[in-house]
């Protein structure tokens, strides 16, 4: 017998499959990858990139090793996957939880042999399955294209996509908890956007703080950004991994730990609040 959590996760995935704009996004992403694959030509000689042609136009003529030449491309792709993926996830997944907890549907679900936490945990698992699948498709497609054309294979973009999923997990944990407070897709989206912006500022908190006047405003900014996940710093580490740039020792572990603790804390608040509600 399947766990109730996975039953709810399967329900979320069926809901996602029925949405045309998610299908349109996947088709659009496939077209972008296909365009890059068909229009990009890399001339590689003994591991060095001699020239690059895009749509028939020469983009690069100076010779350098393939891994160095492609480093800016992988960095840009990592930032695109990280921030683009989180933004799309906020918009596309904002109404899953409010819809599941809406009047009528929630009473029906609670009449089944389910516990309240099963609903939230299943929704979270379903949404994260979508996020991981989309990330692997985008980052894996890019890795495959450049691997075949340049002969340079690296798991960096896929690992960077995994970091993007960790960042989105913290964002969606807040959105899910918001849904237990107010069953509104708009407010869930707003909570996700606010956390994303806050997470970007948290990654630059020392730089931003020094430009604020000393007093209550700076103290409040320092206090709030201290507890927020440092999403912009995590995005930078994802870009470093994607471009095979050495990381500072221990920096990634601390970042991931902070983001995971924040996400688990937000989920715990949501579970606690939902267990105490009447319906």
């Amino acid at each position: 017998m399947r766990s109730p959590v996975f039953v709810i996760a399967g329900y979320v995935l069926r809901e996602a499959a029925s949405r045309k704009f998610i299908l349109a996004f996947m088709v659009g992403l496939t077209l972008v990858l296909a365009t890059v694959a068909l229009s990009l030509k890399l001339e590689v000689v003994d591991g060095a990139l001699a020239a690059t042609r895009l749509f028939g136009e020469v983009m690069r003529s100076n010779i350098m090793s393939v891994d160095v030449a492609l480093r800016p491309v992988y960095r840009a792709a990592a930032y695109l996957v990280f921030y683009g993926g989180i933004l799309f996830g906020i918009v596309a997944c904002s109404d899953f939880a409010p819809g599941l907890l809406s009047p009528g549907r929630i009473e029906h679900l609670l009449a089944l042999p389910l516990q309240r936490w099963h609903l939230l945990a299943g929704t979270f698992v379903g949404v994260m399955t979508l996020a991981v699948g989309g990330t692997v498709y985008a980052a894996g497609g890019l890795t495959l294209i450049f691997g075949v054309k340049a002969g340079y294979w690296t798991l960096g973009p896929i690992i960077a996509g995994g970091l993007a999923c960790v960042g989105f997990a913290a964002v969606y944990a807040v959105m899910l908890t918001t849904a237990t407070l107010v069953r509104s897709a708009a407010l869930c989206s707003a909570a996700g956007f606010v956390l994303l912006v806050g997470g970007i500022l948290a990654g630059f908190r020392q730089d931003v703080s020094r430009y604020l006047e000393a007093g209550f405003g700076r103290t409040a900014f320092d206090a709030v950004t201290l507890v927020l996940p440092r999403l912009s710093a995590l995005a930078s580490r994802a870009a470093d991994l994607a471009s095979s740039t050495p990381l500072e020792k221990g920096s990634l572990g601390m970042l991931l730990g902070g983001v995971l603790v924040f996400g688990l804390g937000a989920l715990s608040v949501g579970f606690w609040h939902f267990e105490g509600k009447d319906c």
Side-chain angles (χ1 to χ4, degrees):
M1 182 177 180
R2 286 192 302 171
S3 166
V5 172
F6 293 111
V7 171
I8 298 299
Y11 174 80
V12 170
L13 293 177
R14 288 193 295 275
E15 282 276 311
S18 66
R19 298 184 178 191
K20 293 182 179 178
F21 71 93
I22 290 182
L23 178 62
F25 173 78
M26 295 304 294
V27 171
L29 184 60
T30 302
L31 291 175
V32 170
L33 291 174
T35 301
V36 172
L38 295 175
S39 60
L40 181 65
K41 184 177 180 180
L42 303 176
E43 297 178 13
V44 180
V45 180
D46 295 332
L49 186 65
T52 303
R53 287 186 173 82
L54 185 64
F55 299 113
E57 298 293 332
V58 176
M59 305 296 293
R60 180 187 294 277
S61 58
N62 51 323
I63 298 177
M64 62 176 64
S65 62
V66 172
D67 59 330
V68 175
L70 294 182
R71 195 167 283 172
V73 176
Y74 282 125
R75 290 191 69 85
Y79 280 118
L80 182 63
V81 169
F82 192 95
Y83 289 118
I86 291 178
L87 284 171
F88 178 77
I90 290 173
V91 174
C93 303
S94 61
D95 63 343
F96 283 134
L100 202 66
L101 305 180
S102 62
R105 183 175 290 184
I106 182 64
E107 287 83 358
H108 170 71
L109 290 172
L110 291 177
L112 300 174
L114 296 173
Q115 296 185 32
R116 288 173 177 269
W117 71 269
H118 289 153
L119 299 177
L120 295 187
T123 305
F124 185 80
V125 170
V127 168
M128 288 312 302
T129 301
L130 282 173
V132 171
T135 300
V136 169
Y137 185 72
L142 189 68
T143 300
L144 182 63
I145 290 171
F146 282 100
V148 170
K149 287 184 172 290
Y152 174 62
W153 295 91
T154 173
L155 291 176
I158 298 178
I159 297 174
L163 297 186
C165 290
V166 173
F168 177 66
V171 172
Y172 191 70
V174 170
M175 294 171 63
L176 192 59
T177 297
T178 303
T180 67
L181 300 171
V182 286
R183 294 165 185 171
S184 165
L187 290 178
C188 287
S189 290
F193 281 121
V194 169
L195 180 60
L196 176 59
V197 174
I200 293 173
L201 291 175
F204 301 103
R205 61 189 301 270
Q206 292 182 346
D207 296 326
V208 175
S209 180
R210 72 167 63 110
Y211 289 105
L212 300 177
E213 291 286 345
F216 176 77
R218 179 189 290 182
T219 303
F221 176 81
D222 290 341
V224 171
T225 53
L226 182 63
V227 299
L228 292 179
R230 297 168 61 190
L231 296 179
S232 55
L234 189 61
S236 296
R237 299 301 180 276
D240 290 341
L241 284 171
S243 59
S244 301
T245 302
L247 301 178
E248 295 180 12
K249 188 176 181 180
S251 61
L252 181 59
M254 292 182 63
L255 274 175
L256 283 175
V259 174
L260 288 173
V261 167
F262 180 88
L264 290 174
L267 273 182
S268 300
V269 171
F271 286 7
W272 168 76
H273 182 262
F274 191 51
E275 287 288 343
K277 295 190 72 171
D278 293 333
C279 60

